[in-house]
Amino acid sequence: MSSAQQRDDNSLSRDIGLFGAISTVVAGTLGAGLFVTLGTASKTTGPSVVLVVIVSGILAMSIATNYSWMATIFPGAAGSYAYISRTFDSRLPGFLVTWSKWLGYMAADAVLAIGFGSYLQVFYPAVDPALAGFGLLTVLFLVNLVGSKGYSVSQNVIFGVLMLSILVLVVPGSASVDATNYQPFFTGGFDGFVAAAVPLFYAYIGIAVAGQMGAEVKNPSRNLPLAMAGGTAILIVLYVWTAAVIYGVVGDYTVLAGSERPLATAAEAFLGDIGTAVVAFGGLLATASSVHAVMAAGIKMPYSWAWDEVFPKQFVATSDRFGTPHYSLFTLYVVASALTFWSTGLSQALAIATFSYLIAYCTVSITMLYVLAKRPDLAEEAGFDLGLGLYASGLLASLGAGALITQAYKGSMTVYVPWMLVGGAIFYYYYSRGQADDTDVEAILDTLPGVPSKEHDPNVSGVTDD
């Protein structure tokens, strides 16, 4: 069997419609952002977290716009890997950018799983968060094992219930806001405000997660931009509204800054036990949905590397029954599960999570600018055109993500450098094997990871939305 036929046999099925893609972005991001980061980020800046959320949201929207535009040209698996490798006709830059991001995905899954256990303690105080997180990872591993259709249905249900639980907090909370609670607004001055930007940007870290699943989204030229840009807009509204409410109803912001469950803590101030329980249940759903989305997206990177023959071929293999890249899924499950019980290693790995995401966001934005300036052949294939707005978006995202990288790298290098050396060695090994076997790299780069050769077009026909 030829390599091309093997790739077609291991391609992915387009089972995720518009609502499923939006719920992937929104519900898949809320776990870390809304239910944890909105509280902890105020340690350095106080109630001005509300303003940081707005500024971070502007940057997030520009990144989402850039990813959306690139996704309509390359609607394949692994998002940033496909965009970079296919634009520059080289597997190496895409691999280097996404190698560290893969570790970030696995670490994020572990942290979010532990967050699930923390919210579960509201109902069962004696539960071990790590053990509960492991149980969640196991359940979602089995759900993802049955393919993207099972993922999409379950994520849509979680998304709907999650929105209701958030509204239980913010709607009545809006009427209980006391403007004096916002004073003093800037507790840490300019330096404190900037220091809050990195952890608060983590609240938007999943905005491009739908791009990771580009080979499984129906009608990608339409649905991927709507999911990423539209989902980011929903996140901005929810974050700003919620931040304004929780800092407006709690008299001392340090209570929220020191809380592992800031939304539940805020709910106690005006909703009582029932309202607190509803919000805590929302925390369970939010962290579960984020674990779900990160797991489904994270497995696409090793799958795509193997598709391009720079990683063990087992990782591109899909289940005969469900069409799932089960080796990639099992690896992520095992590593994330181990990290839930290894707190020291987890904190070190997490130090590079935001850092590696920012590198990807910055690089993809620069790649988009390169396409606009140097690759008109690719630009013509894009699903939409914002004119000069695309240049503005690309510059804002590149400069903004670059500025955050100068802060986010601190504490990351001890993990990032050795991890990158391991990745470089793996790439070199498979690159050398390909050279010896006279692999046709040009033919590989003419494909899209996860996409059958007959569908290698941004406008996939014959599909319908949810």
Side-chain angles (χ1 to χ4, degrees):
M1 183 184 294
S2 68
S3 296
Q5 183 59 51
Q6 287 180 333
R7 277 190 282 271
D8 276 352
D9 289 344
N10 287 317
S11 60
L12 303 174
S13 175
R14 294 193 181 276
D15 292 323
I16 301 176
L18 176 59
F19 190 72
I22 291 176
S23 67
T24 292
V25 173
V26 179
T29 304
L30 284 173
L34 193 65
F35 286 84
V36 177
T37 311
L38 280 185
T40 57
S42 66
K43 290 179 180 178
T44 63
T45 195
S48 57
V49 157
V50 179
L51 185 57
V52 184
V53 169
I54 296 173
V55 174
S56 299
I58 294 171
L59 175 58
M61 181 57 77
S62 68
I63 292 169
T65 300
N66 301 343
Y67 266 76
S68 297
W69 192 78
M70 293 298 295
T72 63
I73 302 173
F74 303 112
S80 48
Y81 174 75
Y83 312 155
I84 298 168
S85 62
R86 270 54 184 175
T87 294
F88 295 107
D89 294 321
S90 173
R91 297 167 294 177
L92 180 59
F95 181 87
L96 293 177
V97 167
T98 53
W99 173 251
S100 64
K101 194 177 179 183
W102 186 38
L103 177 60
Y105 266 93
M106 293 186 287
D109 243 359
V111 167
L112 290 165
I114 292 173
F116 173 86
S118 178
Y119 270 97
L120 190 61
Q121 286 181 318
V122 173
F123 304 99
Y124 304 102
V127 73
D128 181 349
L131 194 59
F134 171 69
L136 175 67
L137 287 169
T138 301
V139 170
L140 295 181
F141 164 73
L142 296 174
V143 172
N144 277 280
L145 192 61
V146 302
S148 59
K149 183 171 290 186
Y151 161 82
S152 183
V153 171
S154 57
Q155 191 76 337
N156 290 348
V157 172
I158 293 174
F159 175 60
V161 179
L162 175 58
M163 290 300 99
L164 289 175
S165 68
I166 294 172
L167 292 176
V168 165
L169 172 69
V170 296
V171 172
S174 298
S176 302
V177 168
D178 182 351
T180 61
N181 290 333
Y182 297 128
Q183 300 301 323
F185 194 60
F186 294 98
T187 61
F190 179 76
D191 290 342
F193 185 85
V194 172
V198 172
L200 265 179
F201 186 76
Y202 184 72
Y204 292 103
I205 213 69
I207 53 176
V209 71
Q212 291 288 123
M213 305 170 74
E216 297 160 283
V217 174
K218 303 172 184 177
N219 194 8
S221 280
R222 170 181 176 269
N223 290 342
L224 284 173
L226 287 175
M228 287 191 274
T232 301
I234 293 172
L235 287 169
I236 293 171
V237 171
L238 286 176
Y239 286 166
V240 173
W241 191 5
T242 304
V245 167
I246 65 174
Y247 287 96
V249 300
V250 176
D252 182 1
Y253 78 90
T254 61
V255 173
L256 297 174
S259 175
E260 294 181 354
R261 300 178 290 270
L263 265 65
T265 300
E268 292 174 2
F270 65 97
L271 289 178
D273 292 341
I274 295 178
T276 302
V278 172
V279 173
F281 182 67
L284 286 174
L285 290 176
T287 49
S289 65
S290 292
V291 171
H292 203 9
V294 169
M295 182 177 288
I299 63 177
K300 303 308 186 301
M301 282 177 281
Y303 168 86
S304 296
W305 303 329
W307 176 285
D308 280 4
E309 300 183 24
V310 290
F311 211 61
K313 63 181 181 180
Q314 290 85 354
F315 284 83
V316 78
T318 55
S319 164
D320 291 337
R321 183 175 181 184
F322 301 115
T324 308
H326 46 288
Y327 285 98
S328 296
L329 177 60
F330 183 71
T331 301
L332 186 147
Y333 165 68
V334 169
V335 174
S337 296
L339 286 174
T340 61
F341 296 102
W342 188 34
S343 58
T344 302
L346 176 61
S347 62
Q348 288 182 323
L350 254 189
I352 73 162
T354 303
F355 178 61
S356 59
Y357 276 92
L358 286 168
I359 288 175
Y361 291 160
C362 182
T363 307
V364 168
S365 298
I366 292 172
T367 299
M368 186 193 76
L369 291 173
Y370 175 82
V371 171
L372 289 170
K374 299 292 186 179
R375 295 293 303 271
D377 56 316
L378 294 178
E380 290 175 356
E381 298 180 21
F384 63 91
D385 182 10
L386 300 178
L388 292 177
L390 283 174
Y391 287 94
S393 179
L395 286 171
L396 176 60
S398 301
L399 296 174
L404 290 178
I405 286 172
T406 64
Q407 299 294 318
Y409 84 92
K410 299 172 183 177
S412 302
M413 294 297 100
T414 55
V415 174
Y416 182 79
V417 172
W419 180 256
M420 292 305 296
L421 290 174
V422 171
I426 291 173
F427 181 91
Y428 179 76
Y429 172 76
Y430 283 97
Y431 172 80
S432 299
R433 281 185 53 176
Q435 291 284 92
D437 295 339
D438 199 24
T439 299
D440 189 345
V441 176
E442 185 176 347
I444 292 174
L445 293 173
D446 280 340
T447 69
L448 273 181
V451 180
S453 55
K454 65 181 180 180
E455 291 186 4
H456 186 7
D457 187 282
N459 299 298
V460 179
S461 59
V463 294
T464 58
D465 291 329
D466 282 340

